[in-house]
Amino acid sequence: ESINFGEIIQGEKVNLEFIIKNTGNGDLIITNAKASCGCTQLEYPKEIIKQGSVGSINITFNSENKLGEQKKNITLTTNATPNIKILTIEGMVLPSEN
């Protein structure tokens, strides 16, 4: 539910992946996924995740104009109970040497 990407230099992009496993008794459908910041782009499965199967949520965090400790949330809306799931990415953006 949380990934720490460690330390990166300001301006770098980091790619992260959350693996979502359907542990429920039916199909899992992610109806929406939204990042808390425009600096965070994401791709999520639009297709049904069958019972026992996995899907991945790919996230790209762009550290341009960011500095210091960063914590961003990704809010998933699904057909599960509860229907909201919060994923978190965090890490430290260090100043570039330029």
Side-chain angles (χ1 to χ4, degrees), residues 2-13:
S2 179
I3 295 177
N4 187 318
F5 56 80
E7 295 180 345
I8 61 173
I9 303 297
Q10 187 178 37
E12 289 181 347
K13 293 181 180 179

Side-chain angles (χ1 to χ4, degrees), residues 24-50:
N25 295 323
D27 293 342
L28 175 63
I29 302 168
I30 300 173
T31 54
N32 194 19
K34 191 165 62 173
S36 62
C37 173
C39 59
T40 307
Q41 303 299 313
L42 52 95
E43 294 176 19
Y44 64 96
K46 309 290 192 289
E47 66 279 353
I48 292 171
I49 301 171
K50 296 284 188 192

Side-chain angles (χ1 to χ4, degrees), residues 78-93:
T78 72
N79 65 329
T81 304
N83 70 329
I84 300 292
K85 181 73 169 174
I86 306 290
L87 306 175
T88 305
I89 63 168
E90 56 189 323
M92 181 67 72
V93 178

